[in-house]
């Protein structure tokens, strides 16, 4: 299964996929990495792995739609079976969603449907929940609203900061992502309304 990964930052989720995919038995292979900004460790990880990369900054395009079309075209050039947004901090538009409907996944650092948006760990901490976690979902037109592929729960500790909580979530998030992408590669998956099943 050919996978294109989109990143905006450190790329530790990308690295976890690259490490897993080094074993041919894993079933998925990362074929390219795209980003919305230069100079990030996520791109450096891809380059160290010898992978092609592409960068499209929203500010370099006349409209958001134009950016979306260019992003979709760059992804298409690598003929992916699946596109994974792993810490990619942009919402894609209708053209991208139409091209990859049902095969564009995103990982979010909260237990959906709680705490959608850019500040999942901070919002969970502020709300005082005792459990939070991470969610892998099929991207739809909403913000972190799509059908749920996988989740993992993480305890919130009394002395947590946003940073310590997010790091604990990310440890589980990498495990969840590697497990789910491998299962999709080896078993496939179906989406029936809101319910996603492997196999
Ligand atoms: C992850 O927690 C992701 O869910 C969030 O940003 C983090 C990215 O981490 N949107 P990394 O770049 O994979 O290290």
């Amino acid at each position: 299964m050919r996978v294109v990964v989109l990143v905006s930052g450190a790329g530790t989720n990308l690295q976890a996929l690259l490490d897993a995919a080094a074993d041919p038995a894993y079933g998925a292979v990362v074929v390219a990495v795209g980003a919305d900004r230069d100079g990030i460790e996520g791109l450096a990880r891809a380059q160290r792995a010898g992978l092609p990369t592409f960068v499209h900054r929203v500010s370099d395009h006349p409209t958001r739609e134009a950016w979306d079309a260019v992003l979709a075209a760059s992804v298409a050039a690598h003929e992916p079976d699946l596109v994974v947004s792993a810490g990619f901090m942009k919402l894609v538009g209708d053209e991208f969603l139409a091209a990859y409907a049902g095969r564009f996944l995103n990982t979010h650092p909260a237990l959906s449907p709680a705490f959608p948006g850019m500040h999942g760990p901070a919002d969970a901490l502020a709300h005082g929940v005792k459990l939070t976690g991470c969610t892998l979902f099929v991207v739809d037109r909403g913000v972190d609203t799509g059908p749920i592929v996988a989740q993992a729960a993480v305890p919130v500790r009394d002395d947590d900061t946003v940073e310590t909580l997010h790091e604990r979530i990310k440890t589980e998030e990498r495990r969840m992502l590697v497990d789910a992408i491998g299962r999709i590669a080896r078993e496939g998956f179906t989406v029936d309304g809101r319910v996603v099943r492997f196999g």
Side-chain angles (χ1 to χ4, degrees), residues 35-54:
D36 65 331
R37 62 197 74 184
D38 292 305
I40 53 173
E41 182 61 16
L43 285 172
R45 291 177 192 276
Q47 282 151 7
R48 285 198 294 272
L51 290 174
T53 61
F54 52 91

Side-chain angles (χ1 to χ4, degrees), residues 4-199:
V4 168
V5 180
L6 302 178
V7 297
S8 296
T12 64
N13 281 286
L14 165 67
Q15 188 67 55
L17 285 175
L18 292 173
D19 293 348
D23 179 355
Y26 182 62
V29 55
V30 179
V31 293
V33 174
D36 65 331
R37 62 197 74 184
D38 292 305
I40 53 173
E41 182 61 16
L43 285 172
R45 291 177 192 276
Q47 282 151 7
R48 285 198 294 272
L51 290 174
T53 61
F54 52 91
V55 177
H56 297 301
R57 301 188 307 177
V58 173
S59 57
D60 289 341
H61 297 274
T63 62
R64 188 86 184 196
E65 289 72 25
W67 168 79
D68 189 60
V70 168
L71 183 71
S74 284
V75 169
H78 297 285
E79 301 180 339
D81 301 302
L82 195 76
V83 183
V84 177
S85 162
F88 185 61
M89 304 304 278
K90 289 282 182 301
L91 294 175
V92 301
D94 287 342
E95 183 166 340
F96 193 102
L97 285 178
Y100 296 101
R103 53 198 186 107
F104 178 37
L105 308 186
N106 185 30
T107 172
H108 176 61
L111 276 183
S112 298
F115 312 122
M118 300 277 285
H119 308 290
D123 292 345
L125 201 58
H127 200 87
V129 295
K130 304 303 183 194
L131 273 180
T132 184
C134 48
T135 301
L136 181 69
F137 63 96
V138 183
V139 181
D140 64 10
R141 292 183 74 183
V143 177
D144 301 324
T145 52
I148 293 167
V149 178
Q151 292 186 301
V154 168
V156 180
R157 299 200 181 129
D158 287 348
D159 59 352
D160 263 335
T161 63
V162 174
E163 289 72 29
T164 60
L165 179 58
H166 196 180
E167 277 310 313
R168 191 175 312 114
I169 292 169
K170 283 178 67 168
T171 300
E172 283 308 312
E173 193 175 14
R174 291 188 284 266
R175 231 192 305 268
M176 171 193 73
L177 184 66
V178 165
D179 178 66
I181 299 301
R183 288 194 67 184
I184 289 171
R186 296 184 303 271
E187 304 170 29
F189 75 121
T190 60
V191 183
D192 179 12
R194 283 212 54 90
V195 179
V196 180
R197 295 184 184 86
F198 295 112

